[in-house]
């Protein structure tokens, strides 16, 4: 899907009333008094409610000014709502200008605002903002410290993350389970098992209790490396320390077993889970289904779907997508189409991935008529296929004599500014001109889409 880029906002205009030529809005806000701070009345703040439905950051800023023109006095909730919009549009200069105004007016800000902003700032800017938080009458807690640490780890700034972690006590923060989990995740992500174990040992020394997430990180790493004996010993260690493994723990072990060709052992582990105090969930069935699909055992994968239903587990979109994916790869797109119908009847809504796999699978077997039906449903659901799929569908419909269908697809491509690649352009022109296939109508659409 083609997303509209947010226009650049001049930060100097942030605190001036919008001109008559600014982005217009259909609703004219009426000035209201500041609502009380309780959550009951916060829902009634008009600007905050209205700005949620505005997609473009410039429109949000224009709306902010229009409320101000009408005599509405903006308080923290309005500023926070506008900041979220500006940050998501990556207009960080405007964000900085707005923050400066909030600081200059001695506004009290909440920690959750800065945690949200960290996600949109580059790591260095996030660190700077973290240190500036007290200037906004905001007390930093371990929650914002952990959020910053996670941003550094996720952005592969591990030297800085290690430095921040080492200085936690100096900054007045006592690391908790989440803090240690972030560092363990980071070291494992770099393949540093020994370093992760050192952090785990430090965690125990400081009497910070490991969580299921801690163990899952370690078990997942070992399972992916095929070191299943160590992974199983960690499972025993969990039990000894009074931590009950969850469905994710078992799914990670099952994936490890499947990766070394021990499907039957993985299956046995899943059915033994209940005796270990954990009922099998969708994620466990999906591990088995995925392994069967990879090995082309589609009928066995379908049998697992029925087993799930027998156990009163309602398959989700990930489960159905797993089965649809492998059916399409095996050239059984019509069977996959039946699964698509089944999931919709069962109340499970297909997502963009479902539709893309389905249309691609139908194109692969040359069933462009059904592919067109699925494309229609996909577009109605506000999802969009890849440009390659559009191209393939146009050419297939044209070759099968479905000119109306080909024209429809071309029009949808034009609406979404999806281009026809050069090779398909040549093929479509040749096909349209080779015989009477409604070439005149097709040529009008083709030429109009290039203007």
């Amino acid at each position: 899907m083609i997303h509209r880029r947010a226009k650049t906002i001049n930060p100097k205009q942030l605190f001036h009333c919008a001109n008559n030529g600014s982005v217009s809005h259909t609703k004219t806000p009426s000035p209201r008094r500041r609502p009380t701070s309780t959550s009951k009345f916060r829902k009634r703040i008009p600007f905050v409610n209205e700005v949620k439905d505005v997609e473009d950051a410039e429109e949000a800023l224009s709306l902010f000014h229009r409320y101000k023109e009408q005599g509405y006095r903006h308080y923290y909730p309005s500023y926070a709502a506008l900041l979220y919009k500006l940050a998501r549009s990556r207009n960080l200069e405007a964000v900085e200008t707005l923050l400066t105004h909030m600081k200059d007016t001695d506004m009290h800000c909440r920690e959750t605002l800065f945690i949200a902003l960290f996600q949109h700032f580059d790591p260095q800017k996030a660190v700077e903002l973290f240190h500036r938080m007290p200037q906004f009458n905001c007390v930093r807690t371990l929650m914002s410290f952990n959020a910053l640490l996670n941003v550094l780890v996720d952005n592969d700034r591990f030297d800085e993350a290690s430095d921040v972690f080492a200085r936690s006590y100096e900054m007045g923060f006592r690391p908790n389970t989440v803090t240690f989990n972030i560092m363990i995740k980071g070291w494992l992500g770099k393949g540093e098992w020994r370093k992760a174990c050192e952090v785990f040992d430090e965690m125990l020394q400081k009497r910070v209790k490991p969580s299921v997430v801690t163990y899952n990180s370690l078990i997942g790493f070992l399972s992916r490396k095929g070191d299943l004996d160590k992974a199983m010993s960690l499972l025993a260690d969990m039990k000894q320390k009074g931590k009950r493994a969850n469905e994710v723990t078992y799914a990670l072990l099952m994936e490890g077993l499947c990766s070394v060709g021990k499907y039957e052992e993985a299956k046995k582990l899943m059915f033994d889970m209940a005796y270990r105090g954990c009922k099998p969930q969708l994620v466990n069935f999906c591990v088995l289904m995925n392994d069967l699909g990879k090995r082309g055992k589609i009928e066995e994968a379908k049998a697992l779907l029925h087993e799930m239903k027998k156990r009163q587990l309602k398959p989700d979109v990930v489960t159905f997508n797993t089965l649809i994916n492998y059916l399409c790869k095996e050239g059984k797109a019509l069977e996959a189409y039946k699964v698509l119908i089944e999931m919709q009847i069962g109340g499970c809504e297909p997502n963009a991935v479902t539709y893309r796999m389905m249309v691609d699978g139908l194109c692969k077997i040359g069933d462009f008529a059904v592919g067109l039906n699925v494309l229609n449903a996909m577009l109605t659901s506000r999802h969009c296929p890849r440009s390659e799929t559009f191209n393939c569908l146009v050419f297939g419909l044209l070759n099968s004599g479905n000119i109306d269908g080909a024209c429809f697809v071309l029009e949808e491509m034009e609406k979404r500014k999806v281009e026809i690649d050069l090779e398909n352009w040549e093929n479509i022109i040749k096909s349209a001109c080779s015989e009477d296939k409604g070439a005149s109508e097709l040529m009008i659409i083709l030429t109009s889409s290039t203007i």
Side-chain angles (χ1 to χ4, degrees):
M1 188 175 291
I2 306 298
H3 295 282
R4 186 173 44 160
R5 292 175 60 190
K7 298 175 184 176
T8 304
I9 302 168
N10 183 352
K12 293 180 181 177
Q13 296 176 344
L14 275 168
F15 305 106
H16 293 84
C17 292
N19 297 325
N20 291 332
S22 63
V23 179
S24 62
H25 203 277
T26 52
K27 296 182 182 178
T28 303
S30 56
R32 297 188 186 182
R33 290 181 300 176
R34 180 186 183 184
T36 63
S37 60
T38 64
S39 58
K40 178 180 177 182
F41 290 98
R42 195 176 297 126
K43 296 177 184 177
R44 299 179 187 174
I45 298 175
F47 173 76
V48 174
N49 285 340
E50 200 170 339
V51 80
K52 288 177 183 176
D53 297 325
V54 176
E55 293 182 9
D56 185 78
E58 189 174 1
E59 289 180 34
L61 182 59
S62 178
L63 181 65
F64 181 88
H65 289 316
R66 290 175 72 83
Y67 267 82
K68 193 174 180 181
E69 281 181 327
Q70 296 294 323
Y72 180 85
R73 187 176 177 185
H74 290 293
Y75 290 89
Y76 173 76
S78 295
Y79 283 96
L82 182 58
L83 271 172
Y84 292 141
K85 290 286 179 184
L86 294 172
R88 276 195 290 269
S89 71
R90 306 298 299 168
N91 196 318
L92 302 184
E93 189 180 0
V95 167
E96 189 57 49
T97 304
L98 190 60
L99 284 172
T100 300
H101 176 77
M102 293 167 77
K103 183 183 70 173
D104 292 344
T105 54
D106 205 32
M107 195 174 291
H108 285 257
C109 299
R110 294 179 186 166
E111 188 178 29
T112 50
L113 171 65
F114 297 99
I115 290 172
L117 291 177
F118 291 164
Q119 311 303 316
H120 301 286
F121 278 38
D122 69 65
Q124 188 55 45
K125 287 285 185 185
V127 170
E128 291 172 9
L129 184 60
F130 174 76
H131 289 301
R132 289 168 54 205
M133 283 171 62
Q135 299 173 15
F136 297 89
N137 298 302
C138 180
V139 177
R140 297 178 304 179
T141 71
L142 192 56
M143 187 165 66
S144 54
F145 177 84
N146 286 342
L148 176 67
L149 194 63
N150 196 54
V151 165
L152 291 171
V153 168
D154 285 348
N155 283 277
D156 202 26
R157 304 287 281 266
F158 213 77
D159 289 340
E160 292 168 66
S162 296
D163 180 59
V164 168
F165 177 69
R167 294 191 298 111
S168 56
Y169 286 98
E170 180 188 322
M171 288 190 281
F173 302 108
R174 183 177 180 179
N176 63 2
T177 305
V178 174
T179 319
F180 283 101
N181 284 350
I182 291 167
M183 293 305 296
I184 288 171
K185 175 189 75 171
W187 284 122
L188 293 176
K190 291 175 72 67
E192 295 280 358
W193 169 254
R194 187 178 59 80
K195 289 283 190 182
C197 287
E198 286 176 8
V199 175
F200 183 70
D201 290 340
E202 182 184 347
M203 187 179 193
L204 298 177
Q205 288 166 11
K206 294 188 183 304
R207 297 187 179 181
V208 177
K209 291 184 178 180
S211 65
V212 177
V213 174
T214 317
Y215 281 103
N216 285 354
S217 294
L218 297 167
I219 287 171
F221 179 85
L222 291 170
S223 295
R224 286 188 292 274
K225 293 290 182 182
D227 197 342
L228 295 165
D229 289 338
K230 264 189 187 176
M232 293 301 281
S233 68
L234 275 175
L235 182 65
D237 188 57
M238 283 181 76
K239 187 176 180 181
Q240 187 181 348
K241 287 186 169 62
K243 292 293 174 190
R244 181 174 290 182
N246 62 14
E247 64 273 15
V248 175
T249 317
Y250 287 105
L252 292 166
L253 289 165
M254 289 166 62
E255 280 182 344
L257 288 165
C258 287
S259 70
V260 294
K262 295 183 177 180
Y263 171 83
E264 291 302 327
E265 287 185 36
K267 187 176 180 181
K268 183 179 184 303
L269 181 60
M270 186 182 80
F271 287 110
D272 285 349
M273 280 173 59
Y275 298 105
R276 298 170 183 250
C278 182
K279 185 181 176 183
Q281 299 296 326
L282 295 177
V283 64
N284 306 104
F285 278 94
C286 276
V287 169
L288 297 182
M289 190 180 286
N290 192 52
D291 186 66
L292 289 170
K294 282 180 183 176
R295 293 186 287 122
K297 299 196 173 186
I298 305 299
E299 291 306 314
E300 289 183 44
K302 286 163 72 176
L304 276 177
L305 189 65
H306 296 299
E307 178 68 27
M308 290 163 67
K309 292 176 180 177
K310 269 174 58 179
R311 289 171 173 257
Q312 305 299 310
L313 287 172
K314 187 177 179 181
D316 61 3
V317 68
V318 175
T319 314
F320 282 114
N321 282 357
T322 302
L323 188 54
I324 287 171
N325 176 41
Y326 288 112
L327 282 168
C328 289
K329 282 186 175 179
E330 291 288 317
K332 299 179 179 179
L334 290 177
E335 279 188 54
Y337 184 63
K338 290 177 184 176
V339 174
L340 173 65
I341 301 299
E342 180 186 343
M343 72 183 285
Q344 289 176 306
I345 291 172
C348 181
E349 190 67 29
N351 62 15
V353 175
T354 320
Y355 285 118
R356 284 170 188 159
M357 290 189 301
M358 199 66 258
V359 179
D360 286 344
L362 289 163
C363 285
K364 183 180 174 182
I365 65 168
D367 199 329
F368 300 104
V370 179
L372 182 59
N373 289 339
V374 177
L375 177 72
N376 255 316
M378 185 178 192
L379 297 174
T380 302
S381 302
R382 296 185 177 181
H383 299 303
C384 187
R386 298 174 302 123
S387 61
E388 295 91 337
T389 305
F390 266 129
N391 278 275
C392 181
L393 201 52
V394 169
F395 191 57
L397 288 166
L398 187 60
N399 272 349
S400 61
N402 190 342
I403 303 301
D404 289 340
C407 290
F408 168 77
V409 176
L410 283 167
E411 286 169 354
E412 293 299 322
M413 289 175 72
E414 198 275 331
K415 282 181 194 174
R416 291 162 176 78
K417 297 183 174 15
V418 178
E419 296 180 354
I420 303 170
D421 62 56
L422 184 59
E423 184 181 351
N424 272 305
W425 176 272
E426 291 174 354
N427 289 334
I428 289 168
I429 296 294
K430 285 176 186 175
S431 183
C433 298
S434 62
E435 49 187 291
D436 185 15
K437 289 185 176 180
S440 58
E441 183 185 352
L442 188 62
M443 289 302 293
I444 289 170
I445 294 173
L446 286 170
T447 51
S448 66
S449 66
T450 60
I451 294 173

